Amino acid sequence: MGRTIRYIIMALLLAVFCTAGGVIFFTRRNYEKEDKVYEQLAEEYTSHVREEKPSDAASPEEAEAPEKAPLEVDFDRLKEINGDVAGWIYCEDTAIDYPILQGEDNDYYLHRNIERQSQSAGSIFVEAANQPGFEDSNTIIYGHHMKNGSMFAALDDWAEQEFYEAHPVIWLLTPEQDYKILVFAGYTTSAVSDTYTIFTGPCSELEEYLEQCVEKSDFRASVEISGEELREGLDGSRRYVVLSTCAYSFEDARYVLHGVLVPVER
């Protein structure tokens, strides 16, 4: 009787082990399949720009040539796949290298890719309530925190000062304009916090909001956010982005990065 019970227990444990192993196997296969979709997108629709460093004999004009994005994106062809394409986000030496979508609500691209196919990793997408084209004073961009390090899983790496210093710039490319995102704050917050307030234009509340973001930051940034900086931009009013992903320090926690958009020439 005792031997029979032992056999049953061993059989149950073996079944549990096999089931768990199968789940892990298929989860990994699914991650690899989803990553391949984005890798192929990057290969087919983007190209890296080789930066030409001025020689010692370069003219003053050549030496002061405007900085350009390290990536070029074929938005015309991307929009043939999906008209909801809003841009492309890229950060060197990280997994962040993805198209950005904007749907009619925040659920659609939560678990759909650029081809509108079901996918657990979903897409990087803009808050549906934001104006298209990053026209608001602050635009929110969401992405999943995937266990394999893809999508926006890297955001909480900025919590370390050393990582921030190695990655102070993220690139945002849109059909109309390329931008440097100068990162200036990062911290853990709640999914229902004031961090997700949308400001459609410059105002004193926006100044207070950004100053509070700097105070909460896990790292000290080289970008100074002051009243004067907030009021002066290349077009008279600077615009900002909030990058958001899940965090696991408490229920409904999120890790966010704040950055200022600086237009660059193409």
Side-chain angles (χ1 to χ4, degrees), residues 125-145:
F125 63 95
V126 173
E127 163 65 50
N130 273 121
Q131 296 183 67
F134 303 90
E135 290 296 324
D136 288 323
S137 281
N138 71 319
T139 297
I140 303 165
I141 306 174
Y142 302 103
H144 281 302
H145 188 295

Side-chain angles (χ1 to χ4, degrees), residues 24-38:
I24 292 172
F25 173 77
F26 284 111
T27 299
R28 286 181 177 174
R29 284 285 302 272
N30 192 44
Y31 281 164
E32 290 173 1
K33 185 178 178 181
E34 293 178 355
D35 286 348
K36 193 67 178 174
V37 170
Y38 286 113

Side-chain angles (χ1 to χ4, degrees), residues 172-179 239 263-266:
L172 172 64
L173 294 81
T174 76
E176 299 77 26
Q177 178 69 59
D178 293 344
Y179 300 92
R239 287 176 289 165
V264 298
E265 291 189 11
R266 282 186 167 163

Side-chain angles (χ1 to χ4, degrees), residues 35-248:
D35 286 348
K36 193 67 178 174
V37 170
Y38 286 113
E39 287 173 8
Q40 290 175 342
L41 277 173
E43 288 176 6
E44 189 168 352
Y45 297 99
T46 73
S47 57
H48 286 264
V49 179
R50 196 170 125 191
E51 185 178 354
E52 298 289 345
K53 295 186 178 180
S55 64
D56 293 338
S59 67
E61 291 78 11
E62 292 173 323
E64 295 179 8
E67 185 175 11
K68 295 186 177 182
L71 208 64
E72 290 181 349
V73 181
D74 190 339
F75 283 110
D76 290 336
R77 290 177 60 217
L78 269 181
K79 281 184 170 288
E80 290 176 3
I81 299 175
N82 190 328
D84 288 343
V85 169
W88 193 284
I89 190 165
Y90 171 75
C91 184
E92 191 174 5
D93 296 327
T94 75
I96 299 175
D97 188 11
Y98 300 105
I100 304 173
L101 288 298
Q102 185 173 20
E104 294 183 358
D105 58 52
N106 288 336
D107 291 329
Y108 189 81
Y109 287 112
L110 196 62
H111 295 297
R112 287 185 178 89
N113 62 22
I114 190 173
E115 297 175 340
R116 302 181 188 271
Q117 298 170 338
S118 178
Q119 181 168 300
S120 60
S123 298
I124 305 298
F125 63 95
V126 173
E127 163 65 50
N130 273 121
Q131 296 183 67
F134 303 90
E135 290 296 324
D136 288 323
S137 281
N138 71 319
T139 297
I140 303 165
I141 306 174
Y142 302 103
H144 281 302
H145 188 295
M146 300 303 291
K147 291 181 179 179
N148 67 342
S150 64
M151 307 309 285
F152 269 0
L155 291 193
D156 56 12
D157 289 340
W158 269 267
E160 300 296 327
Q161 183 71 32
E162 185 177 355
F163 189 88
Y164 160 75
E165 290 175 359
H167 305 83
V169 173
I170 299 172
W171 291 91
L172 172 64
L173 294 81
T174 76
E176 299 77 26
Q177 178 69 59
D178 293 344
Y179 300 92
K180 286 195 300 183
I181 302 175
L182 302 183
V183 179
F184 64 84
Y187 53 88
T188 303
T189 189
S190 166
V192 294
S193 72
D194 291 341
T195 292
Y196 296 94
T197 303
I198 294 175
F199 297 91
T200 58
C203 58
S204 58
E205 289 82 3
L206 174 61
E207 293 184 33
E208 293 173 6
Y209 165 89
L210 293 171
E211 288 168 356
Q212 289 172 5
C213 293
V214 173
E215 290 175 5
K216 292 184 282 189
S217 182
D218 292 323
F219 56 85
R220 184 183 292 262
S222 56
V223 182
E224 290 189 15
I225 300 298
S226 64
E228 182 179 356
E229 288 290 330
L230 298 177
R231 287 187 288 270
E232 292 182 3
L234 296 181
D235 60 353
S237 60
R238 283 194 169 178
R239 287 176 289 165
Y240 302 84
V241 290
V242 182
L243 311 183
S244 173
T245 194
C246 288
Y248 304 103

